[in-house]
Amino acid sequence: MTDYDVIIIGGGSAGYSAARTAQEAKARVAIVDHGPLGGLCILKGCMPTKTILRSSDLMALQRRSQEFGLLPVQARADLSAINDRKNRIIGEFTRYRIEQLQDPDFILYEDTASFLSPHELRVGAHTLRAKNFIIATGSKIAEFPVPGLKESGYLTSDDVLKMRTAPESLIVLGAGPVAVELAQFFSRIGVKVSLIQRSHHILSSGDEDLARAVEARLREEGMDLYTGTRIVNVVKEGNDRVLRFVHEDREKTVRAENILQALGRRPNTDGLNLESAEVETNHKGTIVVDSEMRTRQPHIFAVGDVNGLHEIVHIAIEQGEIAAHNAVHPDKPPRQMDDRLKTSVVFTDPAVAGVGLTEKECQTRDIPYLAASYPFNDHGKSICMGETHGHVKILCHPKTGEVIGAHIVGPEAGELIHPLITLMYFHGTVFDLVKIPHYHPTLSEIITYPAEDLIEKLA
Ligand SMILES: Cc1cc2nc3c(=O)[nH]c(=O)nc-3n(C[C@H](O)[C@H](O)[C@H](O)COP(=O)(O)OP(=O)(O)OC[C@H]3O[C@@H](n4cnc5c(N)ncnc54)[C@H](O)[C@@H]3O)c2cc1C
C-alpha cells in the first residue's frame, strides 16, 4: 500500500499539466499511464495531423504556380514520405514528453489503473491510496451502427497516420474538424474524395456562414460534398466500398476504394471500474464534473477529453491545472473553468477559428448582440497573396460594444484569432479594436473593418 497526495490517471496533455501543477505545490504525486506514452495530441492527434497537412497545403500551392507567374510544376505526393517526415517530427515530440513524465519529482507507474474503492486504485500488482485522484484518460474512436460498415472494413484517423499508399478514392463519413481536415488532406494529394454529412452544413457546431466558405473551397478543389444526408448502408463490392444514402429526398450511391470513418470519439473510461469509485457518468459515458473539475466524489476530478466538455488541448491543459490547484490547495479559493474565451481552430484552407460566443449560441440562449462581417476578397493584403476565401465576423454587446465573440474563416485564421482572444481577455470593445495600431499591409488589418461597421451600428 502506497500513499500519495494526488494520483493522476493518464499522462496526456490534461494529466501531465495536472501533475506539473501539483508537483510545483510540493505535493507527493504519482502518474499512472499504461502507454504508449505521449498522449493523443502528440501521437495521433494535433501534431501528426498538422504535420501532414503542411504537405498537402504546399501541394495545393504548387498546383496554383501559374497563377503566381511561375512555370507549372508536376505536383505529386508520396504518402509514405509524408508519413516518414511526420514520424521523425513526432518522434522528437514524444521523446521530450516521455522525459517530462520520467521526471524524478513524480512517481510514474507504467500500468493500467482501476478503482478498488473511492480511495484505492489497483495498478498492476500495487494498491495505491491517495487523498485526491485526477482522471485524465482521454477518448477513443467511437464505433457507429452504420449498417454494413464494420463488415466492409474502414479506416480511422489512427490508420491514416500509418498509411504508406493513398487510395485512388475515399468516402469520408463525418464533417467535424478531424473529418474535414483529413478529407482536404486526401483531396489535395490527389485522392477523389466524397464527404457525407448528416447535418445541414459541415462543422455543424459552429455558424453556418463560416462552414459555407470552407464547403465552397472544398468543392472548388474537386471534392464531392453531400450535406443533409441519411446513410442507408455500406456494401463491399470487389475491392470497392459502396455507400447508399438519401440526399435531397433521393437515394444515391457513392463508390470508393476505402472509407474514412471520422464520425467522432467517445470518453475512455474502459477498465477504470468507476462504479467502485462511485463516480457518475452521463448517457454519453462522459464523466460528469462541475466547474472546479470535481466529480460527484469531491476528492476525484476528471479533466480533458474524458469529461467531454470541449475536446481541445489547451482546454485539457487548463482543466488539469484547475483540478490540481483545487486538489492540493483546499485552504485557497477554488479555481473554476470559465468558457468565456472558449477558442477553437479547424486547420482547413480556408481555416476556421473562433473565440467566445457564436451567433448560433446567442440566438439559442437569447443573448442580445450585434454582428458585422468583412470579406477577404475585398482586403488588400489577401488580394496580394491570392488568398481571398472567407471573411471575418465580430459579435459585440449591443450597448457597450464589448466584443463577445469573434470568428474568422480565411487565410491564417488560426493565427489571426489570437489578437481577438487578447482583446476579449481584457474585455476590450470594438472602439479599442479600431484604436489599436495595425501595420499595413497585413492580414491582421482586416479585423478592424467589421469593428468600424459595428461602431456605426452602435451610434
Ligand atoms: C486526429 C485528431 C486531431 C486533433 N487535432 C487537434 C488540434 O489541432 N488542436 C487541438 O486542440 N486538439 C486536437 N485534437 C484533440 C486533442 O488531441 C485532445 O483533446 C487531447 O489530446 C486530449 O488530451 P487528454 O489528456 O484528455 O487525453 P490523452 O492525451 O489521450 O491522454 C490519455 C492518457 O491516458 C492513458 N490511459 C487511458 N486509460 C488508462 C488507464 N485505465 N490506466 C492508465 N492509463 C490510461 C493513455 O495511455 C493516455 O496516455 C485532435 C484529436 C484528433 C483525434
Side-chain angles (χ1 to χ4, degrees), residues 203-219:
L203 304 171
S204 59
S205 60
D207 285 342
E208 181 174 343
D209 58 310
L210 306 167
R212 294 293 183 211
V214 183
E215 288 179 4
R217 180 74 160 149
L218 297 178
R219 287 199 171 100

Side-chain angles (χ1 to χ4, degrees), residues 89-106:
I89 291 171
I90 296 317
E92 279 303 307
F93 295 150
T94 311
R95 266 188 290 283
Y96 182 61
R97 172 49 53 88
I98 293 174
E99 269 174 34
Q100 288 178 314
L101 287 169
Q102 289 173 340
D103 185 320
D105 284 335
F106 314 122

Side-chain angles (χ1 to χ4, degrees), residues 436-453:
I436 294 169
H438 283 84
Y439 204 89
H440 175 76
T442 59
L443 286 175
S444 304
E445 284 173 297
I446 193 173
I447 64 177
T448 61
Y449 305 153
E452 283 165 6
D453 286 353

